[in-house]
Amino acid sequence: MKIIYSEEHRLRDSKTELFGGELVQPFERPSRMDLILKQIDLRSYGEIVEPVSFGLDEVLRVHDAGYVEFMAGAWEEWVATGYKGEAMPTCWPARRMSDKIPTFVEGKLGYYSLATETSISEGTWEAALVSKDVALTGAKIVGSGQERIAFALCRPPGHHAAIDMYGGYCFINNAAVAAQSLRDQGAKKVAILDVDFHHGNGTQDIFYARDDVFFASLHGDPADAFPHFLGYADETGSGAGEGFTQNYPFAPGTGFEEWRIGLGDAIKRIEAFGPDALVVSLGTDTYKEDPISFFKLDHEDFTVMGQDIAKLNKPTLVVMEGGYAIDDIGINTVNFLSGIEGS
């Protein structure tokens, strides 16, 4: 298995996150990658390769041009105001308010964000660009038939990044960019299976009205879990995309046995869809010790999860998303990879 990885993820090293009314060290931090790499090395798993550089064309296939332009200059615009901290939105175009785009950076941050926990710091956008290169390199490897399975070790993650919004530690939707790349390489249909604890609201937003990309997400019930305002079971697509989105929200305390039933149904629906390629948004925050999640999966469950998904027998790109139980993220990630590769 090819593992695509870049040290440039370290450009994203924010120091502040709003959590529980306090500014804390972000749960999404560079050391997450170090611990995954440690387990890859300890278990002699896979071949690590550098990503190829891509431009913005692939990004603009799934993201709004105005959003991309804002993100590219957001940090410099923030610093130019004289503000000393990291950039965080303080207001949004909430219900019954105008949707006009402000000219001042504080207003722009609110317009283009979906949550306030994710601060923008120096190097954020540069790291996001490299992260999408990691995903796109993986898509090229799988799409060209070089490998049946590849692992894009992306950081920052991407599945919360919507057409024109960032949040949930995500700025460019790596899985969506990769899925679109697979389509552009000739795959007539692509399925995206999101097994991160949190709903892939951004991926759903991007493909909600399309019938060429099937999206399935297993996640914490949005009544109880971030991102709260998307991911309910009755969200199944719109227009041409009706029936091509499937959500599986689960209650606090859900264990692997119940979760796996949902996975089995998702796999059956993906089989019926008949994709030419599969993208898996892998988050290990379904683990029982994750500090910001509430499922009860254990180490060995990630191996079984991978084995179940492998039965689809499709060209597959695994894209790293969340997972914040730092001491265990590497074990759970490599367990999943060994399961899906059958090694």
Side-chain angles (χ1 to χ4, degrees):
M1 179 186 293
K2 289 279 198 314
I3 299 169
I4 308 94
Y5 168 77
S6 172
E7 277 286 299
E8 292 188 60
H9 76 87
R10 299 184 193 280
L11 293 168
R12 168 66 180 167
D13 193 12
S14 175
K15 304 303 181 187
T16 51
E17 174 179 340
L18 183 61
F19 178 77
E22 299 179 287
L23 289 177
V24 301
Q25 179 188 14
F27 292 98
E28 203 295 291
R29 61 187 74 151
S31 57
R32 295 174 64 242
M33 300 296 99
D34 296 333
L35 291 161
I36 293 173
L37 291 169
K38 179 180 178 181
Q39 282 298 316
I40 288 171
D41 182 59
L42 284 173
R43 294 165 66 171
S44 301
Y45 195 87
E47 176 190 355
I48 298 176
V49 299
E50 288 279 333
V52 176
S53 294
F54 294 82
L56 286 175
D57 288 350
E58 290 84 358
V59 175
L60 294 170
R61 296 277 280 136
V62 298
H63 286 293
D64 172 72
Y67 167 71
V68 171
E69 181 181 8
F70 167 70
M71 287 302 306
W75 175 246
E76 288 74 16
E77 197 170 346
W78 176 262
V79 170
T81 66
Y83 291 145
K84 302 302 182 185
E86 296 179 331
M88 293 184 182
T90 57
C91 59
W92 291 266
R95 290 184 295 276
R96 295 178 299 283
M97 295 177 72
S98 169
D99 61 357
K100 294 182 174 64
I101 304 175
T103 57
F104 187 60
V105 64
E106 181 183 44
K108 289 181 185 178
L109 284 166
Y111 183 85
Y112 286 118
S113 67
L114 59 90
T116 194
E117 86 297 310
T118 301
S119 60
I120 294 175
S121 55
E122 183 176 10
T124 292
W125 183 241
E126 290 77 11
L129 290 173
V130 176
S131 191
K132 62 85 179 166
D133 286 343
V134 169
L136 283 169
T137 300
K140 292 295 185 183
I141 289 171
V142 171
S144 65
Q146 295 178 48
E147 300 274 352
R148 187 178 67 86
I149 301 174
F151 177 39
L153 186 46
C154 292
R155 181 181 176 272
H159 72 148
H160 293 307
I163 293 171
D164 57 356
M165 290 181 287
Y166 75 91
Y169 317 133
C170 302
F171 308 95
I172 294 174
N173 194 310
N174 302 310
V177 169
Q180 184 62 55
S181 173
L182 289 165
R183 283 283 291 110
D184 293 341
Q185 291 178 70
K188 293 183 179 179
K189 296 191 288 186
V190 176
I192 302 175
L193 175 60
D194 193 322
V195 295
D196 187 280
F197 169 81
H198 301 94
H199 177 245
N201 61 288
T203 312
Q204 175 171 308
D205 180 54
I206 289 167
F207 296 113
Y208 202 60
R210 289 173 53 170
D211 61 3
D212 59 333
V213 177
F214 181 88
F215 174 65
S217 178
L218 292 83
H219 50 267
D221 192 323
D224 298 296
F226 182 93
H228 294 298
F229 301 104
L230 215 60
Y232 291 92
D234 61 357
E235 299 161 15
T236 57
S238 66
E242 177 60 47
F244 295 93
T245 291
Q246 187 67 41
N247 286 306
Y248 300 86
F250 292 99
T254 293
F256 185 60
E257 183 176 355
E258 181 182 356
W259 187 93
R260 193 182 183 194
I261 293 171
L263 177 63
D265 187 75
I267 288 171
K268 287 179 182 178
R269 290 174 185 268
I270 290 170
E271 286 177 330
F273 176 64
D276 300 302
L278 173 68
V279 176
V280 179
S281 276
L282 172 64
T284 63
D285 43 1
T286 50
Y287 179 59
K288 63 182 181 180
E289 301 294 340
D290 196 273
I292 56 173
S293 308
F294 54 61
F295 288 169
K296 300 301 179 184
L297 276 63
D298 214 332
H299 293 314
E300 60 272 15
D301 297 330
F302 290 91
T303 305
V304 176
M305 184 194 307
Q307 291 169 342
D308 286 352
I309 296 171
K311 293 173 184 176
L312 284 165
N313 195 30
K314 299 291 182 181
T316 301
L317 175 64
V318 180
V319 177
M320 193 69 202
E321 302 287 1
Y324 310 103
I326 298 295
D327 292 340
D328 299 278
I329 187 173
I331 296 169
N332 294 331
T333 299
V334 180
N335 280 0
F336 176 86
L337 296 176
S338 65
I340 199 169
E341 195 180 36
S343 58

